[in-house]
Amino acid sequence: MSTANLFLKACLIMDQRIKFKWWLNYLLFTLLFGVSFGEVRYVLPEEMQRGSVIGNVARDLGLRVTELAARRARVVAEGTSQLCELDTASGSLLISQRIDREELCAQATVCILQYQLLLEDPLQAYSLVLDIADINDNSPVFAAGEINLDLVESTVLGRRFPLESAHDPDLGINSVREYKLSPNDHFALEMSSQINGNAYPELVLKKALDREAQAEHVLKINGIDGGNPVRSGTASIHIRVLDANDNVPVFSQRVYKASVPENSAVGTVIAKLNATDLDEGVYGEITYSFSHLSDKTGGVIEMNPQSGEVRVTGLIDYEEASTHELDVQAKDGGGQASHCKLIIDVIDVNDNKPVIEIKSASANVAEDSKPGTMVALINIYDLDTGSSGRVTCTISDNVQFKFVSEVKNYYMLVTDGLLDRELQPEYNITITATDAGSPSLSSVKVLTIMVNDINDNPPTFTQSEYNANILENQPIGTFVMKVKAEDTDDGSNARILYQISKDSNSEASSFLTINSETGQLFTSRRFDYEQSVHFQIKVIARDGGDPPRSTTCTINVFIKDQNDNTPVVLYPVQTTGFIAEDMVPVEAPRGYLVTKVVAVDADSGHNAWLSYRIIKATRPNLFTVGLHTGEIRTARAFMEDDEPKQTVVVLVTDNGSESLSATATVSLLVTLFYNA
């Protein structure tokens, strides 16, 4: 068994032990399940089907199912999307939207979603905590589908060449567990560890290279995860055997550490990495790159490939990620590479005001209400950390209300004395939340009695008109684009369904289909640029209110040309068995216009640009053809030993990315008379 497999097998056994202990603890927690301080916690796997039952909150909190609907029970989110909902008929908490752990929490060890269960008459709040467990729903992926290495044939046996690790967003046993290399005579695959303990594959030379015997080697590397069922990803390794490149780039440090304040301006220099290579010329020219960047990191940080300078290119937000750990590669012009790690700590600044969210408020408060009656629930929090995230809140003086807090970040507004409607029929309460940052930031909100939502807002598209491009000849079902509409209403009034407007006067409405829930548009037919270059449809977004409201946007679809037509020779006419002869006088001087090959291409733009060249002739170097005109001219004067009949074969090629071509055979007869 290879060193790589032994290493990964040991990691797998260790990880399985950790997983076993985790699940054992979870089982004990489940068996001893109880509610503490109005909180219930559920552990559930990601990617459960919509409508799946998470748990029965009525039973777990000791509530009667019959009171849920009567008290208008509902689930509200705290700083996250609304991914679950309450079935008041059964008391069960249900999945309402797709839960993707990698999207919500990236690769954090723990993924927690916080919700509140609210009941009215009287108003009560319970904390719901969802602990999202990882499943094996992602395959390992190599950032580069083809890995190119240039090795000198004098490379010593045992030399190691680091390869980029496959990236798998899943965690633990579901992440990459082993690598396999396709069978070959010269190379083996072994594992090595970085300073942070992460393992990466290395290609090890086991048999001497001989450029004369084999100048190229093509291998396959498979990254395999430990999930069940197993998922894998593949990359090709293309190795060129070259002359000497004796030295590998060497970083000045194996680990670079840098820090940058959040919200730093675009162009701010974070760090400058430096590697040296003792070779000269192209073998000493170093190119820097990140081995892997997530989509989020790729939008905020970039590296100059020549200087190794790392700069800010987007919004760096501490609340999004407090640390970025990046693998950096330095590669010379001969393909030799080395790696180091760059750790960037994001410095938090007090850039977020406290957030005040009114989660629920009673429509009316009776004047005979007893002191301590809850009339509203307010969620107050700050996205900053440390002292900048500590919030104190106060309400206006001389009101018959006070704050009571039993759950972190949630405050109940309760009556603090006897109310008298005749003395004061309405209270406008000013809530002030102030953080402990320096300087401190504050938010203020005035609370009146909340009004239940009605469907008074139609959906609104992010754009009133969209433009989309589709390449011709794409198969049915090809993704075109996604439209998005938003609705500022709440609950079912904000649930949006999409459909294509069936305009009776337009056939184009049947050209595309739409996913009614996501707004994704797909083709329902193949398109031909030569027949149609543009069409227009309208998409309707309709909410779930009663009665529903809707809005419409316009989609302009432009068909883009592909190089799918071969050039056609118009002259000379290419007829099987007969090709007309063009006459050329024997006295014709050098540069004499003999004839012209005429061809056309049904494509457009660059795909229709034609070029001409002679690929075969009775007498080489006797005739030339204009590269773009197709004009055939004499390259020299005729000599006595030139044949009287000359045949020239011209290749006509278009300018497509994958060019298409046709040939034209030109038959020439050399005559004794020169007609000026």
Side-chain angles (χ1 to χ4, degrees):
M1 180 179 294
S2 68
T3 304
N5 286 337
L6 285 172
F7 179 89
L8 287 170
K9 184 175 182 181
C11 292
L12 180 61
I13 293 173
M14 182 179 295
D15 191 79
Q16 288 174 334
R17 289 175 177 172
I18 294 172
K19 283 290 184 181
F20 175 76
K21 292 176 67 178
W22 188 90
W23 283 109
L24 180 60
N25 291 335
Y26 168 59
L27 179 61
L28 291 173
F29 169 81
T30 304
L31 293 174
L32 299 174
F33 176 81
V35 179
S36 176
F37 303 108
E39 178 179 291
V40 60
R41 177 183 293 260
Y42 296 103
V43 179
L44 65 151
E46 62 175 326
E47 302 292 357
M48 291 177 66
Q49 294 291 326
R50 293 183 183 181
S52 299
V53 177
I54 300 173
N56 192 295
V57 293
R59 180 188 63 236
D60 297 336
L61 291 171
L63 302 172
R64 295 191 305 274
V65 174
T66 54
E67 66 178 312
L68 297 179
R71 296 179 61 187
R72 296 187 292 279
R74 60 193 180 278
V75 174
V76 296
E78 178 181 337
T80 60
S81 301
Q82 188 76 41
L83 302 176
C84 60
E85 62 186 4
L86 179 67
D87 179 10
T88 56
S90 64
S92 295
L93 187 64
L94 307 179
I95 299 290
S96 62
Q97 298 290 336
R98 176 178 178 236
I99 297 179
D100 184 345
R101 190 185 194 280
E102 290 74 35
E103 180 180 341
L104 294 171
C105 304
Q107 289 191 297
T109 305
V110 179
C111 185
I112 298 295
L113 302 181
Q114 181 77 47
Y115 294 92
Q116 295 292 322
L117 174 67
L118 303 183
L119 297 94
E120 298 182 4
D121 301 327
L123 195 56
Q124 288 180 294
Y126 299 93
S127 179
L128 305 179
V129 179
L130 304 186
D131 190 343
I132 311 302
D134 183 49
I135 66 171
N136 191 28
D137 58 337
N138 292 282
S139 298
V141 175
F142 290 91
E146 180 175 302
I147 302 169
N148 294 305
L149 295 176
D150 293 336
L151 309 183
V152 295
E153 58 181 335
S154 60
T155 302
V156 297
L157 297 181
R159 182 68 180 273
R160 308 171 76 91
F161 302 93
L163 301 176
E164 180 184 342
S165 301
H167 176 67
D168 192 326
D170 294 319
L171 296 177
I173 195 172
N174 294 327
S175 63
V176 180
R177 311 310 297 168
E178 64 173 327
Y179 295 88
K180 289 185 179 180
L181 187 67
S182 58
N184 69 97
D185 296 331
H186 290 80
F187 298 92
L189 195 66
E190 296 183 5
M191 300 304 297
S192 185
S193 295
Q194 296 173 328
I195 293 177
N196 64 351
N198 292 336
Y200 62 91
E202 289 186 328
L203 201 63
V204 183
L205 182 63
K206 295 297 185 181
K207 181 180 178 181
L209 299 173
D210 186 342
R211 187 175 183 276
E212 287 68 29
Q214 188 173 356
E216 293 185 340
H217 299 263
V218 179
L219 310 175
K220 295 285 187 181
I221 182 173
N222 288 333
I224 305 169
D225 66 23
N228 185 13
V230 169
R231 290 175 175 263
S232 64
T234 303
S236 297
I237 305 175
H238 187 196
I239 301 168
R240 290 194 307 166
V241 182
L242 305 176
D243 291 330
N245 177 21
D246 300 324
N247 296 284
V248 178
V250 177
F251 279 102
S252 59
Q253 301 172 221
R254 292 195 64 189
V255 178
Y256 291 82
K257 292 186 177 181
S259 61
V260 59
E262 65 173 329
N263 304 323
S264 292
V266 172
T268 299
V269 177
I270 301 174
K272 189 176 188 302
L273 280 61
N274 181 54
T276 57
D277 192 310
L278 298 179
D279 291 317
E280 295 183 352
V282 68
Y283 291 153
E285 295 177 0
I286 296 175
T287 301
Y288 301 88
S289 63
F290 291 119
S291 296
H292 174 76
L293 278 182
S294 66
D295 292 339
K296 291 183 178 180
T297 306
V300 299
I301 297 172
E302 72 172 7
M303 170 175 285
N304 186 305
Q306 280 75 44
S307 67
E309 198 171 63
V310 181
R311 291 179 178 269
V312 175
T313 58
L315 177 62
I316 288 191
D317 190 347
Y318 177 91
E319 287 71 39
E320 285 284 339
S322 60
T323 302
H324 299 273
E325 293 191 13
L326 308 170
D327 292 322
V328 181
Q329 173 182 272
K331 186 175 184 180
D332 65 22
Q336 301 272 35
S338 61
H339 296 78
C340 75
K341 178 165 286 294
L342 172 61
I343 300 175
I344 302 173
D345 291 323
V346 181
I347 302 172
D348 187 29
V349 299
N350 190 25
D351 60 337
N352 292 285
K353 291 183 178 181
V355 179
I356 303 174
E357 293 183 353
I358 308 301
K359 292 299 184 181
S360 181
S362 299
N364 297 285
V365 179
E367 59 180 329
D368 61 350
S369 295
K370 295 180 179 179
T373 300
M374 184 165 67
V375 296
L377 181 70
I378 301 99
N379 180 205
I380 301 177
Y381 60 92
D382 194 309
L383 294 175
D384 292 315
T385 59
S387 60
S388 298
R390 291 198 300 269
V391 179
T392 57
C393 56
T394 58
I395 61 174
S396 45
D397 297 330
N398 302 319
V399 294
Q400 300 284 25
F401 298 91
K402 67 178 181 179
F403 269 147
V404 175
S405 179
E406 295 179 354
V407 179
K408 182 181 179 181
N409 295 339
Y410 280 83
Y411 296 82
M412 294 180 292
L413 185 66
V414 301
T415 56
D416 191 32
L418 297 176
L419 304 176
D420 189 337
R421 189 194 68 83
E422 288 71 27
L423 292 177
Q424 190 166 351
E426 180 180 281
Y427 289 90
N428 290 318
I429 302 170
T430 301
I431 302 170
T432 303
T434 305
D435 64 28
S438 179
S440 62
L441 299 176
S442 298
S443 295
V444 176
K445 181 163 287 191
V446 176
L447 174 65
T448 56
I449 301 303
M450 300 294 291
V451 178
N452 291 333
D453 182 51
I454 62 172
N455 191 31
D456 56 346
N457 291 288
T460 302
F461 281 100
T462 54
Q463 299 175 218
S464 61
E465 186 168 337
Y466 295 81
N467 293 325
N469 296 318
I470 307 175
L471 281 175
E472 64 173 331
N473 303 321
Q474 296 302 301
I476 294 174
T478 298
F479 174 76
V480 178
M481 68 175 303
K482 180 179 179 180
V483 296
K484 181 176 178 59
E486 298 175 344
D487 195 311
T488 56
D489 290 321
D490 190 32
S492 62
N493 294 331
R495 184 179 180 185
I496 298 173
L497 295 178
Y498 302 89
Q499 69 180 73
I500 296 175
S501 175
K502 300 300 181 182
D503 187 345
S504 59
N505 297 323
S506 175
E507 180 189 3
S509 61
S510 63
F511 289 178
L512 302 179
T513 61
I514 191 167
N515 185 310
S516 61
E517 294 187 353
T518 66
Q520 293 176 312
L521 288 156
F522 302 90
T523 60
S524 59
R525 56 169 287 180
R526 288 179 178 268
F527 296 99
D528 187 345
Y529 175 86
E530 286 70 37
Q531 293 183 2
S532 175
V533 298
H534 167 260
F535 65 90
Q536 185 182 87
I537 65 170
K538 294 185 182 297
V539 172
I540 300 172
R542 179 173 285 107
D543 63 28
D546 185 18
R549 288 177 171 266
S550 64
T551 191
T552 303
C553 74
T554 301
I555 311 293
N556 292 305
V557 181
F558 299 92
I559 312 302
K560 296 300 180 182
D561 185 42
Q562 277 190 321
N563 191 27
D564 58 343
N565 290 284
T566 301
V568 176
V569 176
L570 301 180
Y571 183 84
V573 178
Q574 305 293 296
T575 304
T576 303
F578 173 78
I579 298 177
E581 293 180 335
D582 284 285
M583 311 288 266
V584 53
V586 70
E587 299 91 347
R590 178 177 179 272
Y592 178 80
L593 176 60
V594 177
T595 186
K596 180 176 181 179
V597 176
V598 180
V600 295
D601 193 309
D603 292 315
S604 66
H606 288 76
N607 295 328
W609 291 2
L610 301 181
S611 58
Y612 304 81
R613 65 186 179 92
I614 295 174
I615 60 173
K616 184 179 179 182
T618 304
R619 281 281 181 175
N621 303 321
L622 179 55
F623 299 99
T624 62
V625 64
L627 178 62
H628 300 298
T629 65
E631 294 179 346
I632 297 177
R633 297 179 180 270
T634 55
R636 60 174 173 78
F638 290 103
M639 296 187 292
E640 290 183 3
D641 59 346
D642 289 334
E643 291 82 351
K645 287 189 176 183
Q646 298 284 332
T647 300
V648 178
V649 180
V650 177
L651 180 68
V652 185
T653 307
D654 64 25
N655 196 43
S657 57
E658 294 184 4
S659 62
L660 301 176
S661 63
T663 58
T665 301
V666 181
S667 183
L668 303 174
L669 180 61
V670 181
T671 65
L672 297 176
F673 299 99
Y674 175 64
N675 294 320

